[in-house]
Structure formats: structure tokens, C-alpha cells
Amino acid sequence: MKLYRPLILLLTSAVGAVSAQTEDDRENDTPTGTYWNVGMSEASINTLVGQGWRLTDIQVEGTSPYTFTVAMVPNSGAHAISTWWYYGLDAATLSTRLSQNSARLIDLEVVDNGSGAARFTCIMVSNTGANNKAWGWLYNTSTAAITTLTNQGNRIVDLEQYTLGSTTYYACVVISNTGSDN
């Protein structure tokens, strides 16, 4: 099991420090437009982002070349937030990007790089100001470890099953199940 400790430490230390939180993006029920499509390339996604759309969900369809299925909303009004997306990252690079962007994950996909190592595709959002949430993530883990994490007062916001080599693993993103996130 791989546990990204600095974020889990944030999870335990930030719970008491967060006073004003916005609702989780996936629970935002403010009416808005949507966009959904399959077979999207990086360039196609980035064009839409440049036109004012932002990713809310991404699935990896293929890795040679990378293609994606995406869901998007206009990045405006109640849905406006700083966001980033990446693909093909190893865990260390993903952790660095989270830190550099002061961000948290909202969607995480894991694929085998062809040699049995995890490569991540993700959507992250700003984890600052009113959008700050206590959160964490796990990968290359079991359902038992995820159950332990949820029993410690966390709520799953993304859960993935994947295979590396011949072993099935799980990855999850959680937020603290307290306050307005309960």
C-alpha cells in the first residue's frame, strides 16, 4: 500500500483549522451547462479548457496515444475554481504538482505503464481559502485499507480499481467527513 503521508498529515491537522468550506464540487447542484465526449486528445481537452470549460471527470481510454473520456462544466459562477489536469505521472511527480499548485485531487485514474508501475491521470483543484478541505489519497492499496481510512472519519470522493501486472489494486481520494462535508 502506498500512502501519501504529507496529505494524510494535512488531513488530520487541517480538520480543526478549516472554518468556512464550500460544498464538494461533485455535490454542487447549481444548474450549469455540461460537456461530455469520448476519444479526446490532450490538445482537444486543452482547447476546451482555453474556451472556459473545466474538467470534472476524466477516464483514460488508451495510452498509446493517450485518449480520454471527459465530463466538463463551464468554469464560471458557482462552478469557477482554479484547476489542473495531468496524465502519465508517477507518484512522486503527482505529489510535487499537488504541492506546487496548493491543490487537492478530485479525480484519480491509474494505469499500468507497461512495466507494472502505476501512472496517474488526475484532476486537481485549488485547496486554498474557502475551498480548503482536509483530504488525502491512497494508491496500490486494498479494500481493507480504504475501509480503515473511512472508519477514521473520512469520506470517499473517488475510488478506482486497477491492475498492475497481474495484481488488482485500489486507489481512492478522501475528504474529512466533518462539518459541511459530512
Side-chain angles (χ1 to χ4, degrees), residues 117-128:
R119 289 296 178 264
F120 301 96
T121 296
C122 67
I123 303 168
M124 57 181 72
V125 297
S126 174
N127 197 43
T128 61

Side-chain angles (χ1 to χ4, degrees), residues 71-152:
M72 303 176 95
V73 297
N75 196 16
S76 60
H79 297 275
I81 190 171
S82 295
T83 185
W84 303 266
W85 79 283
Y86 302 100
Y87 68 94
L89 303 181
D90 61 27
T93 304
L94 174 54
S95 297
T96 298
R97 299 274 170 90
L98 286 163
S99 179
Q100 289 171 339
N101 295 325
S102 297
R104 64 181 162 85
L105 295 171
I106 62 166
D107 192 23
L108 181 65
E109 305 298 315
V110 188
V111 295
D112 189 322
N113 73 346
S115 300
R119 289 296 178 264
F120 301 96
T121 296
C122 67
I123 303 168
M124 57 181 72
V125 297
S126 174
N127 197 43
T128 61
N131 196 49
N132 184 284
K133 296 187 183 297
W135 76 285
W137 64 295
L138 293 174
Y139 69 100
N140 287 5
T141 195
S142 66
T143 56
I146 294 169
T147 298
T148 298
L149 194 60
T150 59
N151 288 340
Q152 294 171 343

Side-chain angles (χ1 to χ4, degrees), residues 19-75:
S19 58
Q21 295 178 328
T22 59
E23 70 182 324
D24 189 89
D25 191 51
R26 292 179 184 234
E27 295 173 4
N28 186 340
D29 61 0
T30 303
T32 190
T34 59
Y35 177 84
W36 179 85
N37 206 344
V38 299
M40 301 289 291
S41 67
E42 173 187 17
S44 298
I45 294 168
N46 288 336
T47 295
L48 288 166
V49 168
Q51 294 171 349
W53 292 89
R54 75 170 173 87
L55 289 161
T56 58
D57 189 66
I58 192 165
Q59 301 293 316
V60 176
E61 289 181 13
T63 58
S64 185
Y66 268 88
T67 55
F68 309 93
T69 296
V70 300
M72 303 176 95
V73 297
N75 196 16

